[in-house]
């Protein structure tokens, strides 16, 4: 999975969890109440609310029914402006096109690849291998 896709999915997951929590509190329900109504374990629903687990579409539908909230509202798809979780950070004017291309490439890498690139970049900055290279 691309790094930028992962970041967007994480933003969605966090946004969705916050919106569901807000709806649950407004309905004056506990996490256990919602989990029971939807047919999932309380721990699973808690992970969704904390933004650590993305709900499946069928589960999201059941959550919206149980919480009596519109899925479009939960996903913030009603507004004219794009949902906050869809927005990519704007490039700063200080970023050169070369740096933006490099960042796009880095966003496609997994953690292992990023670690290797980091070691290589530090060795280019400190080629003597001194303590700064650590």
């Amino acid at each position: 999975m691309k790094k930028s896709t992962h970041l967007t999915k994480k933003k969605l997951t966090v946004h969705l969890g916050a919106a569901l929590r807000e709806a649950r509190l407004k309905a004056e329900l506990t996490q256990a109440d919602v989990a029971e109504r939807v047919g999932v374990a309380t721990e699973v629903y808690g992970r969704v609310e904390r933004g650590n687990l993305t709900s499946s579409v069928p589960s999201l539908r059941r959550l919206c029914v149980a919480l009596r909230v519109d899925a479009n509202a939960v996903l913030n798809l009603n507004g004219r402006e794009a949902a906050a979780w869809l927005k990519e950070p704007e490039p700063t004017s200080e970023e050169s096109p070369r740096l933006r291309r490099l960042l796009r490439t880095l966003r496609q890498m997994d953690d292992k690849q990023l670690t290797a690139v980091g070691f290589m970049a530090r060795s280019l900055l400190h080629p003597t291998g001194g303590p700064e290279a650590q």
Side-chain angles (χ1 to χ4, degrees):
M1 178 184 304
K2 291 183 180 180
K3 188 78 168 174
S4 61
T5 303
H6 174 71
L7 290 175
T8 303
K9 182 177 179 183
K10 182 63 180 170
K11 287 179 187 177
L12 168 62
T13 304
V14 169
H15 169 81
L16 182 61
L20 291 172
R21 182 175 195 276
E22 184 180 322
R24 177 181 60 81
L25 293 174
K26 187 176 178 181
E28 298 179 352
L29 297 170
T30 66
Q31 287 184 346
D33 293 334
V34 176
E36 182 181 325
R37 291 176 183 196
V38 176
V40 297
T42 304
E43 295 80 16
V44 171
Y45 177 71
R47 288 181 61 205
V48 170
E49 231 181 60
R50 287 188 302 277
N52 295 328
L53 180 68
T54 304
S55 178
S56 68
V57 174
S59 292
L60 176 60
R61 184 177 188 286
R62 290 192 309 271
L63 284 166
C64 290
V65 169
L67 294 169
R68 297 185 178 170
V69 65
D70 181 45
N72 289 326
V74 170
L75 294 170
N76 193 25
L77 298 176
N78 291 335
R80 296 177 195 265
E81 191 174 320
W85 54 267
L86 281 175
K87 293 181 180 176
E88 287 293 324
E90 293 290 325
T92 64
S93 59
E94 299 164 1
E95 292 179 355
S96 69
R98 232 180 313 171
L99 180 57
R100 287 194 302 267
R101 282 193 299 274
L102 176 59
L103 289 171
R104 276 195 303 273
T105 301
L106 292 172
R107 286 185 187 111
Q108 296 174 14
M109 295 182 177
D110 61 26
D111 287 341
K112 204 173 195 179
Q113 293 168 318
L114 288 170
T115 300
V117 170
F119 284 129
M120 186 172 59
R122 282 188 292 283
S123 71
L124 290 172
L125 289 175
H126 309 286
T128 61
E132 301 88 23
Q134 303 285 318

